[in-house]
Amino acid sequence: MSQTSENNKRIAKNTMFLYFRMIIIMGVSLFTSRVILKALGVTDYGVYNVVGGVVAMMGMLNSAMAVASQRYLTFELGRKDYARLKTVFSVSFSIYLLLALIFVILAETVGLWFLNAKLVIPADRMVAANWIYQFSIIAVISSLLTNPYNASIIAHEKMNAFAYVSILEGILKLGVAYLVYVFAYDKLIVYGAGIMLVSLIITAIYRQYCIVKFEECKYRWVWDKALFKELSTYSGWNLFSSVTNMASGQGVNILLNLFFGPVVNAARGLAVQIEAAIHQFFTNFYTATRPQITKYYAEGNLNNMFDLVIRSSRFSFYLMLFVAMPILLETEFVVQLWLGQVPEYVVIFTRLIILDGIINAMATPLMTTAHATGRIALYQFVLGTMAALNVPIIYLLFRWGFSPYYAFYTMIIISIIKTIARLWLVKRLINFPIMKYCKNVLFVSVGIGLLSMVLPLLIKMQLPLEGIIHFIVISIISVISSISVIYFIGMTKSERTYVKKFISEKMKLNQI
């Protein structure tokens, strides 16, 4: 069996584990969101969303270093340099400890001032908001110190670990939702404390798993000045990107709060959860393919790398389309079914955030290509600057009296421009085949998206039924339409052959 075939099988296997994980997380998340919204009320739910957003905004140090850890660990595994691998892990963990200290200082000074002086929070909920803030700080630190271990799991492509731990995480979060109802004490504080404890437990489990399974995860103090500088520089540019992307996410959340109050924050938070559930269908596939992209680069196998980037970009779009289409067509019913009510703005927010997510999902493999090279300064500067434009543009729109959903129109336009910029930048870095990408990804995806929507839209306009029956019929038609168009038009002959072979093998295994 060829190396490429083995890699494809590994990607398929890991994707299945990650989808199993996703189903658990998505089910628990959607269920608990409804329970928690009902228990807390719209205002408290909005307070939790915006306060957690402030902490997440300062946690950008976390995401910046996470990308660096994953890239360098995967790169050394691709080169099979195991001594260097141990050094990379230990130096990375030392940097995480330093980042944790910086985060605490920022959170307890600038962040605490911003929470109490600037955010629009009802006066009688400020005490609870401060408790939530402290719980969120602990949860972010916990996540920060988990990242080196998660990076090792991804680099080794042991995605089954995520699936198994997610079962426990789901059970624990269901327990938190139950406690919110049982305890007579302030429900917002109980919820925040519960989520913090879950985060600490999951961190401990991942740490122990990695120490047992992977030799490099046994931390030891190592001082490698050159590696420290390389990781810090790489992380610095990722930090710049994280800062500017946070302006596109949590920055918008704060603007919505300042101009429209916590009720609109709640609407955005609910819409983001729906999009995040859909986004998992792409993220799981992408997480399984990302290590292979970096390893191909480490091996110098650029042709296979380019082919994988193009293929993963197309399939990222297909996976998002497959799940998103029924929700885009039936958003109001989905929200009503999920929450038992339809808060103002949730429907339009959900549709616009999903569209923005589809655009970014399709372009994300290009980001991994840039990161694999290690030369990310220009890439992060250009993309980060474009992302930062969201905040001043949206601020002006709100000052001029535009409705809150114009924030998401702006984000979609910026995302399209960023995709074009990504192609140009990756071409400069590694001579990436732009025309091949446009032909096999952009043009194909637009065509597949339009063709897949035709039949469901026609039936939706003619269908006399309403309610759950209407939703089921439209969902089934959407799935059939998207699968048919993707399989017969959106896949190459070799891809169709591989899919048939993969399904056939799984069916034989189930019969044994």
Side-chain angles (χ1 to χ4, degrees):
M1 184 181 291
S2 69
Q3 184 65 38
T4 301
S5 179
E6 289 181 4
N7 289 338
N8 287 338
K9 288 191 70 174
R10 189 181 301 112
I11 290 171
K13 179 181 177 181
N14 285 331
T15 302
M16 289 180 66
F17 277 121
L18 290 168
Y19 277 127
F20 176 67
R21 174 179 185 256
M22 177 208 65
I23 290 170
I24 295 170
I25 292 175
M26 184 168 61
V28 171
S29 176
L30 294 176
F31 174 75
T32 55
S33 294
R34 174 172 179 157
V35 172
I36 295 302
L37 176 64
K38 186 176 181 181
L40 298 182
V42 173
T43 299
D44 269 8
Y45 190 87
V47 169
Y48 183 83
N49 183 262
V50 74
V51 171
V54 172
V55 178
M57 183 171 62
M58 291 183 296
M60 55 200 168
L61 293 168
N62 186 354
S63 61
M65 188 60 198
V67 175
S69 297
Q70 290 173 19
R71 187 267 173 188
Y72 280 88
L73 289 170
T74 304
F75 189 85
E76 298 306 332
L77 274 174
R79 294 202 307 177
K80 297 179 173 58
D81 188 341
Y82 300 108
R84 179 71 169 174
L85 183 66
K86 293 179 181 180
T87 303
V88 169
F89 178 86
S90 293
V91 173
S92 295
F93 197 87
S94 297
I95 295 175
Y96 274 108
L97 291 172
L98 177 61
L99 291 179
L101 177 61
I102 294 171
F103 171 75
V104 170
I105 293 171
L106 289 174
E108 297 294 1
T109 54
V110 178
L112 198 60
W113 165 80
F114 190 80
L115 168 68
N116 288 281
K118 294 297 181 182
L119 288 184
V120 179
I121 296 173
D124 62 334
R125 302 309 292 147
M126 283 304 300
V127 171
N130 275 273
W131 274 106
I132 291 297
Y133 184 76
Q134 297 300 326
F135 292 148
S136 298
I137 289 173
I138 295 172
V140 169
I141 293 172
S142 174
S143 175
L144 191 68
L145 298 180
T146 305
N147 268 329
Y149 301 106
N150 285 349
S152 293
I153 293 173
I154 293 171
H156 284 277
E157 301 183 69
K158 300 295 185 182
M159 308 307 178
N160 56 329
F162 289 127
Y164 299 144
V165 175
S166 292
I167 296 174
L168 176 61
E169 186 177 3
I171 293 171
L172 291 173
K173 287 186 175 179
L174 287 173
V176 172
Y178 174 74
L179 289 177
V180 170
Y181 268 104
V182 171
F183 276 79
Y185 191 66
D186 191 304
K187 295 183 182 297
L188 181 57
I189 294 176
V190 171
Y191 181 62
I195 294 299
M196 177 196 69
L197 288 174
V198 171
S199 177
L200 292 172
I201 292 169
I202 297 303
T203 294
I205 292 171
Y206 277 129
R207 178 181 179 277
Q208 188 60 33
Y209 171 85
C210 290
I211 289 174
V212 171
K213 292 289 185 178
F214 310 132
E215 185 66 27
E216 74 272 10
C217 291
K218 296 174 181 177
Y219 175 72
R220 57 194 175 91
W221 168 252
V222 177
W223 176 245
D224 186 321
K225 183 178 179 181
L227 179 59
F228 184 89
K229 181 179 178 182
E230 190 175 350
L231 281 167
S232 299
T233 301
Y234 191 95
S235 300
W237 282 109
N238 282 325
L239 176 60
F240 174 78
S241 176
S242 296
V243 169
T244 51
N245 280 313
M246 193 60 69
S248 180
Q250 296 303 330
V252 171
N253 203 26
I254 291 170
L255 288 176
L256 289 170
N257 177 265
L258 295 176
F259 281 91
F260 303 102
V263 172
V264 174
N265 286 123
R268 178 190 176 275
L270 294 167
V272 166
Q273 286 201 49
I274 296 174
E275 193 277 333
I278 296 170
H279 202 74
Q280 283 297 317
F281 280 82
F282 145 75
T283 301
N284 291 322
F285 172 72
Y286 171 62
T287 301
T289 59
R290 182 172 56 191
Q292 284 299 323
I293 293 174
T294 303
K295 288 175 182 177
Y296 276 140
Y297 180 79
E299 296 166 0
N301 196 341
L302 297 185
N303 288 331
N304 278 351
M305 178 188 182
F306 294 153
D307 288 342
L308 181 56
V309 169
I310 289 171
R311 188 166 64 251
S312 60
S313 295
R314 273 194 298 113
F315 277 84
S316 295
F317 174 82
Y318 295 162
L319 289 167
M320 289 286 283
L321 177 70
F322 171 76
V323 185
M325 194 188 309
I327 297 175
L328 286 171
L329 293 171
E330 296 290 320
T331 310
E332 188 168 355
F333 178 81
V334 170
V335 173
Q336 176 70 43
L337 183 67
W338 174 34
L339 301 176
Q341 55 182 301
V342 184
E344 188 178 9
Y345 295 116
V346 170
V347 173
I348 185 65
F349 282 8
T350 299
R351 286 173 173 159
L352 294 175
I353 289 175
I354 288 173
L355 290 175
D356 186 56
I358 290 173
I359 295 167
N360 287 313
M362 189 166 55
T364 301
L366 293 172
M367 178 188 71
T368 301
T369 306
H371 283 195
T373 68
R375 305 186 306 275
I376 60 170
L378 179 62
Y379 180 91
Q380 298 290 41
F381 176 77
V382 173
L383 271 297
T385 302
M386 288 183 176
L389 292 174
N390 276 304
V391 172
I393 293 173
I394 292 169
Y395 175 79
L396 289 174
L397 290 174
F398 288 170
R399 283 295 300 268
W400 294 336
F402 284 86
S403 298
Y405 48 78
Y406 275 84
F408 304 101
Y409 291 150
T410 304
M411 293 171 68
I412 289 171
I413 293 170
I414 294 292
S415 292
I416 293 171
I417 297 172
K418 285 170 64 179
T419 299
I420 298 170
R422 281 189 175 101
L423 283 169
W424 174 74
L425 290 163
V426 174
K427 172 71 174 178
R428 283 176 55 95
L429 283 171
I430 198 172
N431 198 28
F432 187 80
I434 291 180
M435 292 309 299
K436 185 177 180 181
Y437 183 91
C438 291
K439 177 183 176 182
N440 292 283
V441 179
L442 298 182
F443 299 155
V444 169
S445 297
V446 171
I448 294 299
L450 293 175
L451 286 173
S452 299
M453 292 286 283
V454 172
L455 184 60
L457 278 173
L458 289 174
I459 292 178
K460 179 178 174 61
M461 289 187 292
Q462 300 297 324
L463 197 64
L465 302 172
E466 295 182 359
I468 187 67
I469 302 299
H470 183 278
F471 172 71
I472 291 173
V473 171
I474 294 301
S475 297
I476 291 173
I477 297 299
S478 296
V479 169
I480 293 173
S481 176
S482 59
I483 289 178
S484 300
V485 174
I486 289 168
Y487 184 79
F488 291 107
I489 301 176
M491 288 186 181
T492 63
K493 184 178 179 181
S494 62
E495 288 167 350
R496 288 196 294 271
T497 300
Y498 178 79
V499 168
K500 287 190 289 187
K501 182 180 177 182
F502 182 78
I503 293 173
S504 177
E505 289 177 353
K506 290 302 174 185
M507 291 178 68
K508 288 178 182 178
L509 287 174
N510 290 334
Q511 292 172 1
I512 296 175

